[in-house]
Amino acid sequence: MIKNKETAIEAIKTQGFLPLFYTDDAQVSLDVIRTLYRAGVRVFEYTNRGKAALDNFKLIKAAQKTEMQDLFLGIGTIKNTTEAKAFLAAGADFIVCPVVDLEVGKLTHDAGLLWIPGCMTPTEINLAHQNQAGIIKLFPANILGPSYLSSIKELFQGQLFVPTGGVEIDETNIDTWFKAGVCAVGMGSKLISKQILDHKDYDTLFSLTTKTFEIINKVKP
């Protein structure tokens, strides 16, 4: 399976949501991803939110190669080229950032991979758009809201957007985002909660993921 910028974009659009999380515990990290995969997830973002992120990512990557070969495994919360280089070397299939760092974008593009920078203002969106960001992460989405995207989307013809932060597992909420023009929604702690991680409650995680797929498949254009 070819994993590049184009195929990653297609996988995210098809799935309609992008699950993301981090925990220090390597085994829990792997078990969560196995559960998501079992529920049908084929694109996933691990986040660089702690000291164990790189080691955990390498462990997940090893499992991906044997158990989940059709999974696109991306890394999020990349803020500089040092972090980007480390995770690209570890085999990240795409890079997600909370900010627009053009050097990270260039590194990612040079590797033939998808760069998803985080943007809040029209100026940031324009900068990312001009630098071939395949998808732009609207962040923080809970502050911006769907009406913000509706207001600015026409300025950036053809640009794909994914909101992250505060998207609920709720048909009305998700439907509103799709009607505003997103290609998918980011799902963090609303899907993979601290409670699920602390209690290793993978049955609940499986159920919530299945429910999310049902909502997405109902409302996605």
Side-chain angles (χ1 to χ4, degrees):
M1 183 186 201
I2 297 167
K3 292 179 181 173
N4 57 29
K5 179 179 177 179
E6 289 72 29
T7 56
I9 290 172
E10 204 48 48
I12 289 168
K13 285 165 67 178
T14 299
Q15 186 163 285
F17 74 107
L18 183 59
L20 55 114
F21 89 110
Y22 170 80
T23 183
D24 287 328
D25 190 308
Q27 190 58 50
V28 171
S29 295
L30 185 54
D31 290 341
V32 164
I33 292 165
R34 281 176 171 149
T35 303
L36 293 169
Y37 186 83
R38 196 161 49 84
V41 167
R42 293 297 177 268
V43 195
F44 172 78
E45 174 194 339
Y46 197 64
T47 56
N48 180 33
R49 290 283 183 99
K51 288 178 182 174
L54 185 57
D55 287 340
N56 290 358
F57 188 84
K58 288 174 180 175
L59 178 80
I60 298 161
K61 191 73 193 176
Q64 177 203 21
K65 286 176 182 173
T66 56
E67 303 169 33
M68 304 173 275
Q69 292 172 354
D70 57 343
L71 177 73
F72 285 80
L73 178 62
I75 184 69
T77 324
I78 297 297
K79 302 180 295 300
N80 54 59
T81 54
T82 304
E83 294 171 351
K85 284 173 185 172
F87 282 96
L88 286 171
D93 294 321
F94 59 93
I95 298 266
V96 186
C97 310
V99 295
V100 183
D101 185 311
L102 297 183
E103 289 301 310
V104 171
K106 185 176 186 309
L107 267 177
T108 310
H109 287 149
D110 286 350
L113 301 176
L114 173 62
W115 172 54
I116 307 178
C119 297
M120 188 173 187
T121 67
T123 301
E124 290 167 353
I125 293 168
N126 192 50
L127 187 61
H129 181 68
Q130 288 177 338
N131 285 273
Q132 284 77 54
I135 294 174
I136 285 173
K137 174 169 99 159
L138 279 184
F139 176 75
N142 55 318
I143 292 170
L144 294 168
S147 56
Y148 173 77
L149 179 59
S150 300
S151 301
I152 56 99
K153 192 172 186 295
E154 294 310 310
L155 300 173
F156 307 100
Q157 293 293 325
Q159 180 64 60
L160 300 174
F161 293 92
V162 171
T164 303
V167 178
E168 306 274 349
I169 303 175
D170 170 82
E171 187 177 323
T172 304
N173 180 272
I174 292 173
D175 186 41
T176 305
W177 277 112
F178 276 101
K179 282 191 168 68
V182 302
C183 72
V185 292
M187 301 289 295
S189 59
K190 303 289 182 183
L191 176 64
I192 308 158
S193 66
K194 187 176 184 300
Q195 188 170 0
I196 282 172
L197 295 173
D198 288 349
H199 295 95
K200 303 177 185 177
D201 188 359
Y202 305 127
D203 289 342
T204 297
L205 177 60
F206 184 89
S207 300
L208 284 175
T209 308
T210 304
K211 182 183 177 185
T212 304
F213 267 117
E214 286 169 2
I215 294 170
I216 295 287
N217 292 334
K218 186 175 177 184
V219 306
K220 190 161 68 84

